[in-house]
Amino acid sequence: MVRLDRLSRLMILAGIIMLLSSIILGDILLQVNSSSQELIIPPHGTLVTSFNPNSIVVFQGNGVSIHGNNVYTVGCKVINLQGKVSIINNSSYSVNLNERTILLPGVLYIIIFPIIIIGGIIFISGILISMYLRLR
């Protein structure tokens, strides 16, 4: 019984460490692989651009309409998941548009996500063992 109790504590601790370290490492990877710039759209102008398919682009600004595939509006931010975008300014004045591009590295899918899943499984298993021992 004492060994199972110690095992459950170690599993909970290992799961927490794996979850937190992979989340911090993923955050560092995404911050290193991001860039931002400011676009100026002229009055009654249209800007057509395309992006890397492995990136997420976030636009923030007012007075323009953004069209394309995989374009989603969240609050005052427009998120483009991949592909081609056309930005249309129907106003009689220039509009400043902030663009932030986040490149998603392959390491994120190969290493970080599996570590998050394995850490979660270990954490939940440790909690289940601990609950079993207390209810027994």
Side-chain angles (χ1 to χ4, degrees), residues 6-95:
R6 188 177 293 166
L7 176 68
S8 70
R9 289 181 188 167
L10 285 174
M11 288 177 73
I12 291 171
L13 185 63
I16 289 172
I17 290 172
M18 288 177 75
L19 284 169
L20 290 178
S21 64
S22 60
I23 289 171
I24 290 170
L25 187 62
D27 184 46
I28 291 171
L29 275 174
L30 290 178
Q31 284 195 8
V32 167
N33 290 317
S34 68
S35 63
S36 62
Q37 66 181 354
E38 185 172 326
L39 301 173
I40 299 174
I41 312 298
H44 303 290
T46 301
L47 174 68
V48 178
T49 184
S50 60
F51 301 100
N52 187 343
N54 294 331
S55 65
I56 296 174
V57 182
V58 179
F59 298 102
Q60 186 172 5
N62 294 325
V64 295
S65 58
I66 300 174
H67 304 285
N69 294 334
N70 296 322
V71 174
Y72 302 99
T73 303
V74 179
C76 64
K77 296 181 180 180
V78 177
I79 300 172
N80 177 27
L81 295 181
Q82 58 182 316
K84 189 176 179 182
V85 170
S86 61
I87 304 168
I88 302 169
N89 181 7
N90 291 327
S91 305
S92 60
Y93 52 88
S94 295
V95 175

Side-chain angles (χ1 to χ4, degrees), residues 110-128:
I110 296 171
I111 296 174
I112 303 298
F113 288 155
I115 290 176
I116 290 174
I117 292 170
I118 292 169
I121 291 171
I122 291 173
F123 176 73
I124 292 171
S125 298
I127 288 177
L128 290 176

